[in-house]
Amino acid sequence: MLKDIRRKILKNGYRLQLKLFVAPFLIGSIALILLPAVATFMYAFLKYNGVDPPQFVGLQNFKRLVDSDYVRISLFNSGIFLLLAVPVRLLAALGLALLMQGRGRLFGLYRAAIYLPTIIPEVAYALVWLWIFNPVSGPLNIVLSQMGFGAPAWLADPDLARIAIVIMLSFQIGEGFIVLLAGLKNIPRAYFESARVDGASSIQAFFKITLPMLLPWILVLVFRDLIVSLQSTFTPSFVMTYGGPFYATTFAPLLLYEVAFDFFDYGLAAALLVVIFLSMAIMALSILNVIQSKDRNDV
């Protein structure tokens, strides 16, 4: 009897410890994520400038978004950026992960070098690339000029400015590189040995073994990069171009900042954030459906 009581007390004490460990995370999630999300959704239906009392305007803020040329430009720029940046970042991470599978001290050094740009502070990273893209004294244009390609005005040309942002963010792939490297390590070597015995080439082994086995990891990274890449546009567009030239780098996060903190139109900014969130949610659900359908097919 006493053993049962003691076992019950220990079990309840263990459950209490688990709840105490989880409590800070739950409190932080509610205070920093859930409550701001609910407040943002409420502000989307209000007219509020931070000074005057808020006024309920219904769907007027969303109508203003539809009628705004700046919003359409920012969403177009964001879509073009995602179409360019996500595949480039994913292919770069996959290619480097395939090359860095080996063991040894040099491989560890190379992996650290690949991950290093990811942990550099965003403002410092943007300032470094602002110097690199300098049309006169930047090292990139100096090298291109010596090779006979001319000296493009990277951040002054509307067409090249978006590409410049894609190029600089394509070096911050450390997290995706680590994830894909872990995925490659989890593929049993016996599969490749069997394919080699059957006479399969390296290219055939990649498309028949490596790529299918990595597909769930790749889809997760696509979902992550759709969100992270768009968020990452704020600092370079703010520090390097401030949306120029001719609004070519006015991405949705920068426009959101301008509407909220330059024009103090918090209701319109909240409506824009709701639209961005819903767009990301639709893309995320689409990717999850692809993953689930693949799992069903595998079964």
Side-chain angles (χ1 to χ4, degrees):
M1 184 69 180
L2 292 176
K3 291 182 178 180
D4 294 337
I5 295 175
R6 186 180 304 170
R7 189 180 299 110
K8 187 175 182 180
I9 293 175
L10 291 175
K11 187 176 181 180
N12 291 334
Y14 178 72
R15 290 178 177 176
L16 180 61
Q17 290 178 357
L18 290 179
K19 293 178 181 179
L20 291 176
F21 278 119
V22 175
F25 175 78
L26 293 177
I27 295 173
S29 298
I30 293 172
L32 301 177
I33 298 176
L34 182 60
L35 292 180
V38 173
T40 299
F41 183 78
M42 294 174 59
Y43 278 125
F45 300 95
L46 302 176
K47 180 181 179 182
Y48 183 55
N49 59 9
V51 178
D52 298 327
Q55 299 177 1
F56 180 77
V57 294
L59 298 175
Q60 184 177 347
N61 288 327
F62 294 95
K63 184 178 182 301
R64 293 170 61 194
L65 290 179
V66 175
D67 296 336
S68 174
D69 293 334
Y70 298 109
V71 172
R72 287 195 291 269
I73 290 173
S74 69
L75 294 178
F76 173 78
N77 290 337
S78 300
I80 293 297
F81 173 81
L82 291 177
L83 288 175
L84 294 175
V86 173
V88 170
R89 287 165 58 93
L90 185 61
L91 290 175
L94 178 59
L96 290 173
L98 291 171
L99 291 174
M100 295 293 112
Q101 294 183 80
R103 297 180 179 179
R105 186 173 301 176
L106 286 179
F107 281 101
L109 180 63
Y110 294 152
R111 292 169 189 161
I114 293 171
Y115 193 80
L116 181 61
T118 307
I119 61 176
I120 296 176
E122 292 185 355
V123 175
Y125 188 72
L127 291 175
V128 169
W129 278 94
L130 185 63
W131 166 67
I132 292 174
F133 286 128
N134 188 296
V136 178
S137 58
L140 180 58
N141 275 7
I142 291 176
V143 173
L144 291 176
S145 298
Q146 292 178 350
M147 296 175 63
F149 291 104
W154 290 100
L155 301 178
D157 188 318
D159 296 327
L160 293 178
R162 295 193 200 98
I163 298 177
I165 303 297
V166 171
I167 292 174
M168 67 168 291
L169 292 180
S170 297
F171 284 85
Q172 290 184 316
I173 56 173
E175 295 175 356
F177 165 73
I178 295 297
V179 169
L180 291 177
L181 193 61
L184 289 171
K185 295 293 184 182
N186 284 333
I187 300 177
R189 297 295 99 185
Y191 293 170
F192 298 100
E193 294 174 0
S194 299
R196 194 177 300 111
V197 171
D198 291 338
S201 63
S202 299
I203 297 177
Q204 291 173 330
F206 172 77
F207 284 103
K208 296 296 184 179
I209 300 175
T210 304
L211 194 58
M213 296 290 290
L214 280 182
L215 188 58
W217 304 74
I218 292 173
L219 291 175
V220 170
L221 284 179
V222 170
F223 165 63
R224 171 193 171 276
D225 265 12
L226 285 173
I227 299 175
V228 174
S229 298
L230 184 59
Q231 293 177 346
S232 301
T233 60
F234 174 76
T235 300
S237 61
F238 183 85
V239 174
M240 300 169 64
T241 60
Y242 203 76
F246 303 107
Y247 303 102
T249 58
T250 301
F251 303 108
L254 179 62
L255 182 63
L256 181 65
Y257 170 86
E258 290 179 339
V259 172
F261 301 108
D262 287 349
F263 301 103
F264 299 101
D265 196 338
Y266 297 115
L268 185 62
L272 178 58
L273 187 57
V274 169
V275 170
I276 296 173
F277 173 78
L278 291 177
S279 302
M280 292 296 176
I282 292 172
M283 288 188 287
L285 290 175
S286 301
I287 295 173
L288 289 176
N289 286 333
V290 172
I291 296 175
Q292 291 175 355
S293 63
K294 182 184 181 302
D295 292 339
R296 287 194 294 267
N297 293 333
D298 292 340
V299 173

